[in-house]
Amino acid sequence: MRATVIHAPHDIRVEEVPDPAIRQPTDAVVRVLRACICGSDLWAYRGESARQPGQRIGHEFLGVVEETGAGVGGFAVGDLVVAPFVWSDGTCAYCADGLTTSCHEGGFWGSVGSDGGQGEAVRVPYADGTLVKLPAAAASDDRLLTALLALSDVLGTGHHAALGAGVTKGSTVAVVGDGAVGLCGVLAARRLGAERIIALGRHTARTDIARRFGATDVVAERGEAALAAVRELTRGEGAHSVIEAVGTEQSMRTALDIVRDGGAIGYVGVPHGSASGVDLGVMFDRNIALRGGVAPVRTYIPELLPDVLDGTIDPSPVFDLSIGLDEVPAGYRAMDGRTALKVLITP
């Protein structure tokens, strides 16, 4: 089959690789219908996170079950399924607690020795604990299929950030980051009942989506000017909840600057940079809570799925460029150059 591999920074290729096969009774093989490129994939692309030459890449996909191991009881050949970006056994203490990303048997797609999502098919370990079945009819609805793909990562990650930030009905929320995760954070905050949602971003195409998703205000300024703008919108107090969806030292400092005393920051931006930007003394003095991390999206999919199916939430606009598998290297260039927000792949 064909799959995306990374050989070196800025060297992404689509190559012939061995077909996935059942190795354990709990495995399934899924033929990929939709995949995408994540902002976090760009850290490997830029050489900021290490990869072995020839390693697979991509961690978001949905597709059709092609084969199941003898130990798989929840799925049959032909089922339409979505995969969270981490596989998990569904039976350990962490999985029982909903923290599927800490499963001792779990792993990330594209890690050494595993298939990546940006290919024609994927071997799925622990299929019963990992995959979530989707309505078969969704396979013929292109927009819905695209919206459902967001369940594999960005929608659940935005939801995780909103929960970490303590978003409640009637609250004021600020979102730092105008990428796909930040935009899904806006969507999640609206879903949880936030009354005011302030999106920080300078790119009109992205802030237009933020408004479509429920942002009531947009702050295009940066630095001290952004702080002043948020304070002006919040009577000088700051936001009850701040979603941090970037992961840099500066973005975390901005989050701390704009959160209200007694408020909370939900952080889901993959950390990269020389320091965290967190001053524990400031947090202590102002009673600020900090919660977040790798989103256990497998736990959130059953909750979010009905709202995607009935159109209550529609994350599909975050995918602004659609390509075939052979065009994946160009898709990485587009996202790296910020000419695309999030690239949809149709193998």
Side-chain angles (χ1 to χ4, degrees):
M1 71 167 191
R2 294 178 304 150
T4 306
V5 298
I6 182 167
H7 285 270
H10 301 282
D11 186 0
I12 293 283
R13 308 177 196 174
V14 178
E15 298 180 340
E16 292 289 332
V17 301
D19 290 340
I22 300 295
R23 299 181 190 171
Q24 301 293 333
T26 51
D27 289 351
V29 173
V30 173
R31 174 171 53 87
V32 177
L33 295 182
R34 295 288 186 278
C36 55
I37 301 173
C38 181
S40 63
D41 291 330
L42 296 180
W43 304 124
Y45 181 73
R46 294 166 179 163
E48 297 182 37
S49 59
R51 293 292 189 276
Q52 294 183 7
Q55 188 173 337
R56 306 285 180 82
I57 194 166
H59 55 263
E60 300 159 280
F61 66 95
L62 59 74
V64 176
V65 175
E66 293 272 280
E67 186 180 0
T68 61
V72 176
F75 300 95
V77 172
D79 284 344
L80 181 67
V81 294
V82 63
F85 64 85
V86 172
W87 71 77
S88 53
D89 64 17
T91 62
C92 71
Y94 284 118
C95 288
D97 288 341
L99 194 60
T100 51
T101 50
S102 290
C103 176
H104 289 304
E105 301 298 328
F108 290 81
W109 311 112
S111 56
V112 175
S114 73
D115 293 324
Q118 295 165 13
E120 292 183 314
V122 176
R123 180 184 73 88
V124 178
Y126 300 103
D128 282 336
T130 300
L131 300 173
V132 177
K133 191 180 297 185
L134 302 173
S140 60
D141 185 331
D142 189 66
R143 184 210 58 79
L144 178 58
L145 205 60
T146 300
L148 291 168
L149 176 62
L151 290 167
S152 65
D153 185 347
V154 288
L155 182 58
T157 297
H159 179 67
H160 187 57
L163 294 179
V167 177
T168 57
K169 187 174 182 179
S171 62
T172 295
V173 182
V175 180
V176 181
D178 60 2
V181 170
L183 294 172
C184 284
V186 172
L187 202 59
R190 187 190 70 181
R191 179 178 175 274
L192 292 172
E195 181 176 329
R196 187 165 210 172
I197 303 173
I198 305 166
L200 281 72
R202 297 186 304 155
H203 302 86
T204 303
R206 300 183 178 201
T207 55
D208 285 349
I209 296 174
R211 290 190 184 277
R212 181 174 173 180
F213 282 2
T216 56
D217 304 274
V218 170
V219 170
E221 294 85 355
R222 284 190 169 185
E224 291 297 323
L227 170 60
V230 173
R231 294 284 177 180
E232 183 177 354
L233 290 168
T234 57
R235 299 174 307 209
E237 294 179 352
H240 300 102
S241 303
V242 176
I243 290 172
E244 192 284 309
V246 182
T248 63
E249 181 177 355
Q250 182 57 55
S251 63
M252 184 60 79
R253 290 189 186 279
T254 298
L256 280 169
D257 285 342
I258 63 177
V259 69
R260 184 180 187 270
D261 286 14
I265 298 169
Y267 70 103
V268 292
V270 178
H272 50 279
S274 59
S276 67
V278 173
D279 187 327
L280 291 179
V282 171
M283 294 180 65
F284 182 87
D285 290 343
R286 297 177 55 207
N287 282 281
I288 295 170
L290 181 64
R291 295 186 293 269
V294 185
V297 299
R298 175 59 181 83
T299 299
Y300 300 140
I301 291 174
E303 176 185 350
L304 297 171
L305 176 57
D307 284 356
V308 176
L309 290 174
D310 69 15
T312 300
I313 53 176
D314 177 13
S316 64
V318 302
F319 298 97
D320 61 342
L321 176 62
S322 180
I323 61 174
L325 187 58
D326 289 336
E327 301 169 285
V328 166
Y332 271 85
R333 291 193 294 271
M335 283 187 62
D336 186 46
R338 296 183 72 85
T339 59
L341 169 60
K342 190 167 182 66
V343 175
L344 177 71
I345 303 166
T346 304

